């Protein structure tokens, strides 16, 4: 038995496999606990005795390196393992690991293979996502959610079949199923998010250093996504729990500056099991221990001085509107693929005058035109609709955001994708 992206914390399970006479090889990328599972091999670049020069490979990356090592040992040609880079690329980008070093190479070369992939299922999935350009955004927001939805909804085998089948009829059927699962996932995610927000506001949990909420009928396949949204909204570590009989199973997400895995290492007396890394974890505990766990975890978060950690936007450069042109924005593509630890460049624009301003999508987003001298540029602020009530035409503001080309009805326009705004000083 060979594990992929799991197993490093499966001490008991692998011991049971040993008792059954099953030999196990673990390939994983999650943080290592106090002891290693007793498998015949444990491949994880986060092992304390690791000598591999890059420790941030995704689970799929570790599995790929095992395939590469075996291929080299058997004297196979490079093409025999490099042909899988399209799939490895998708897994690497989807797993939100830092797109630096070897991960960047995997993503960069893998995207080239994705563009000309012979995998019928992958081709169909990209087409159904509606994305025209194949880049890291297409994978992150078009392909990955559809693949992940299968596993989250308990139908992981459907995604596997899609990537293996050679039957175009089956490809079309499976693609439709993946899209349907993704829609169901979105509906469940929305319901859980609303329930969680209601609990947080009713109990004033946003005033705590860490947020822990749970629900009886929550689907454990989507709570990680919701936890991420809760953490983004309140800028505090969060753990969401699904109550299943005597147990509570959950997922947690953290903020930069607070190591979630390390925090749980200090709560092991109240936890049945957990795994993950500094920014994301999975956890199982008995329901009778939930309150004790909440108290202990809150104490750890308080001692870490969570309230002193503030969100920071790292600005790459200050720029004037008259310095921007289409060629300059297109040149930024040389820095792709973008992702974790290799974000799109963020620019600061000072002392811009609001030429027009309006809310979009029932007040959720904001659309502006901004002026500096004789130069005018469009700007969009997703989830910043509340700013339409704070600013008015004629106000002078400082803006930070990404530069992009917005194509609509065959016309290309330069645009700032706003990340934050403040009044000019």
């Amino acid at each position: 038995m060979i594990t992929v992206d799991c197993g490093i914390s499966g001490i008991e399970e692998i011991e049971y496999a040993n008792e059954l006479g099953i030999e196990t090889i673990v390939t994983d990328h999650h943080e290592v606990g106090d002891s290693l599972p007793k498998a015949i091999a444990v491949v994880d670049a986060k092992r304390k005795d690791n000598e591999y020069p890059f420790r941030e490979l995704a689970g799929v990356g570790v599995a790929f390196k095992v395939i590469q090592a075996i291929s080299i040992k058997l004297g196979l040609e490079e093409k025999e393992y490099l042909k899988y880079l399209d799939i490895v690329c998708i897994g690497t980008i989807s797993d939100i690991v830092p797109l630096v070093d070897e991960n960047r190479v995997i993503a960069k070369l893998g995207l080239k293979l994705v563009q000309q992939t012979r995998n019928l299922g992958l081709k169909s999935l990209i087409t159904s996502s509606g994305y025209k350009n194949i880049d890291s955004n297409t994978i992150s927001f078009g392909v990955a959610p559809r693949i992940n939805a299968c596993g989250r909804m308990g139908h992981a085998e459907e995604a596997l079949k899609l990537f293996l089948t050679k039957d175009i009829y089956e490809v079309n059927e499976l693609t439709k199923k993946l899209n349907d699962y993704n829609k169901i996932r979105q509906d469940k995610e929305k319901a859980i998010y609303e329930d969680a927000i209601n609990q947080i506001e009713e109990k004033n949990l946003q005033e705590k250093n860490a947020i822990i909420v749970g629900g009886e009928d929550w689907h454990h396949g989507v709570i990680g996504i919701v936890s991420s949204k809760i953490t983004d909204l309140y800028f505090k570590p969060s753990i969401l729990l699904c109550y299943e009989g005597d147990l509570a199973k959950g997922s947690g997400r953290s903020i930069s500056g607070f190591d979630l895995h390390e925090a749980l290492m200090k709560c092991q007396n109240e936890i049945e099991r957990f795994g993950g890394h500094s920014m994301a974890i999975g956890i199982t505990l008995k329901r009778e221990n939930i309150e004790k766990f909440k108290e202990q975890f809150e104490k750890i978060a308080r001692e870490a001085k969570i309230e002193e950690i503030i969100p920071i936007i790292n600005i790459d450069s200050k720029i004037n509107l008259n310095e921007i042109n289409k060629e300059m924005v297109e040149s930024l593509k040389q820095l792709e693929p973008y992702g974790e630890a290799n974000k799109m460049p963020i620019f600061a624009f000072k002392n811009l005058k609001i030429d027009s301003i309006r809310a979009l999508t029932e007040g959720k987003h904001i659309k502006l035109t901004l002026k500096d001298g004789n130069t005018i540029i469009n700007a969009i602020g997703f989830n910043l609709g509340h700013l339409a009530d704070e600013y008015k035409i004629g106000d002078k503001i400082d803006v930070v955001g990404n530069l992009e080309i917005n194509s609509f009805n065959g016309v290309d326009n330069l645009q700032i994708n706003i990340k934050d705004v403040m009044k000019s000083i």
Side-chain angles (χ1 to χ4, degrees):
M1 177 171 64
I2 302 175
T3 74
V4 176
D5 201 10
C6 65
I8 198 69
S9 61
I11 308 294
E12 294 177 8
E13 289 82 355
I14 291 171
E15 186 60 47
Y16 181 57
N18 291 336
E19 292 172 4
L20 296 176
I22 300 173
E23 293 183 324
T24 305
I25 295 172
V26 172
T27 75
D28 204 344
H29 79 123
H30 293 102
E31 295 289 348
V32 180
D34 294 330
S35 59
L36 292 172
K38 291 183 170 60
I40 61 172
V42 179
V43 186
D44 188 333
K46 290 191 172 78
R47 285 180 54 156
K48 293 177 175 62
D49 58 351
N50 168 62
E51 295 181 3
Y52 193 71
F54 183 58
R55 73 187 304 270
E56 299 296 343
L57 287 165
V60 67
V62 176
F64 172 71
K65 298 306 290 186
V66 171
I67 293 171
Q68 183 182 26
I70 293 171
S71 299
I72 293 171
K73 187 74 173 178
L74 296 176
L76 301 180
E77 294 183 49
E78 288 184 346
K79 66 180 182 180
E80 296 303 321
Y81 57 86
L82 292 179
K83 65 184 179 183
Y84 298 118
L85 270 181
D86 53 353
I87 305 299
V88 183
C89 157
I90 290 168
T92 297
I93 293 173
S94 302
D95 212 10
I96 319 180
V97 290
L99 287 189
V100 298
D101 203 285
E102 195 165 5
N103 285 340
R104 179 172 170 77
V105 176
I106 288 171
K108 186 93 172 178
L109 297 180
L111 282 170
K112 293 181 184 296
L113 279 187
V114 173
Q115 290 169 2
Q116 53 188 352
T117 185
R118 296 180 180 179
N119 189 295
L120 297 179
L122 179 54
K123 272 186 178 180
S124 177
L125 208 54
I126 292 170
T127 301
S128 74
S129 73
Y131 283 80
K132 294 179 180 178
N133 297 321
I134 296 177
D135 54 22
S136 54
N137 277 337
T138 303
I139 306 304
S140 295
F141 302 106
V143 176
R146 287 166 169 79
I147 298 172
N148 288 337
C150 282
R152 296 184 190 283
M153 295 296 103
H155 303 282
E157 71 283 354
E158 305 281 15
L160 178 61
K161 286 179 185 176
L162 178 65
F163 285 106
L164 294 178
T165 185
K166 305 293 183 183
D167 183 337
I168 191 63
Y169 174 78
E170 188 175 26
V171 165
N172 293 334
E173 286 295 306
L174 289 169
T175 300
K176 182 180 181 303
K177 281 187 177 181
L178 262 66
N179 286 326
D180 290 343
Y181 293 143
N182 193 42
K183 179 64 170 62
I184 294 170
R185 187 269 305 169
Q186 290 172 329
D187 292 342
K188 289 185 178 293
E189 179 189 319
K190 182 180 178 183
I192 293 172
Y193 178 77
E194 290 174 352
D195 190 359
I197 292 296
N198 287 336
Q199 288 190 45
I200 291 167
E201 293 181 352
E202 286 175 7
K203 300 174 183 177
N204 291 320
L205 298 180
Q206 69 273 19
E207 296 179 5
K208 290 185 173 293
N209 292 279
I211 296 171
I212 302 177
V213 290
E216 291 285 351
D217 56 351
W218 289 2
H219 196 292
H220 67 268
V222 301
I223 56 173
I225 302 173
V226 180
S227 177
S228 182
K229 290 186 174 183
I230 297 294
T231 290
D232 288 344
L233 180 63
Y234 296 105
F235 196 70
K236 291 182 179 180
S238 70
I239 297 176
L240 268 66
L241 300 170
C242 306
Y243 302 139
E244 301 175 4
D246 295 332
L247 295 176
K249 298 180 180 180
S251 289
R253 299 294 184 268
S254 194
I255 58 175
S256 297
F258 182 75
D259 190 320
L260 197 49
H261 188 273
E262 185 179 292
L264 293 189
M265 291 285 285
K266 301 175 183 177
C267 304
Q268 292 190 63
N269 290 339
E270 315 302 336
I271 301 172
E272 292 298 298
R273 60 187 312 158
F274 72 96
H277 45 80
S278 63
M279 298 299 287
I281 56 90
I283 185 173
T284 300
L285 61 161
K286 291 181 179 178
R287 287 183 70 159
E288 63 190 47
N289 292 331
I290 290 176
E291 293 307 316
K292 286 183 180 178
F293 170 71
K294 285 182 179 179
E295 291 174 10
Q296 193 169 4
F297 191 77
E298 173 66 16
K299 181 174 180 288
I300 293 168
R302 184 171 59 251
E303 290 172 350
K305 298 181 178 179
I306 291 288
E307 76 282 355
E308 294 182 8
I309 302 175
I310 59 173
I312 295 173
I313 297 177
N314 292 310
I315 297 167
D316 294 285
S317 180
K318 177 181 173 296
I319 192 169
N320 297 319
L321 288 192
N322 59 14
E323 298 178 85
I324 303 170
N325 55 52
K326 187 177 179 181
E327 290 71 29
M328 175 266 193
V329 177
E330 286 182 336
S331 71
L332 298 175
K333 291 181 180 179
Q334 295 179 45
L335 303 175
E336 295 180 354
Y338 297 124
E340 187 67 20
N342 186 44
K343 303 289 188 181
M344 290 183 68
I346 291 184
F347 298 100
F349 307 86
K350 296 280 191 176
N351 212 33
L352 302 184
K353 183 179 179 181
I354 297 177
D355 201 53
S356 70
I357 181 170
R358 61 190 173 95
L360 304 174
T361 321
E362 298 178 345
K364 188 174 183 182
H365 313 305
I366 190 171
K367 179 79 173 176
L368 308 96
T369 53
L370 301 171
K371 189 173 183 179
D372 183 10
N374 295 321
T375 307
I376 295 180
I377 192 169
N378 293 325
I380 184 81
F382 294 106
N383 299 311
L384 295 175
H386 62 279
L387 295 178
D389 296 324
E390 297 181 23
Y391 297 97
K392 62 183 184 298
I393 292 174
D395 282 349
K396 291 288 189 75
I397 58 174
D398 296 342
V399 172
V400 293
N402 310 122
L403 283 171
E404 56 192 23
I405 298 172
N406 180 35
S407 299
F408 185 72
N409 288 337
V411 179
D412 291 342
N413 286 300
L414 300 181
Q415 175 176 276
I416 301 173
N417 189 326
I418 298 174
K419 302 304 175 187
D420 203 4
V421 176
M422 64 177 286
K423 287 192 174 182
S424 299
I425 299 174

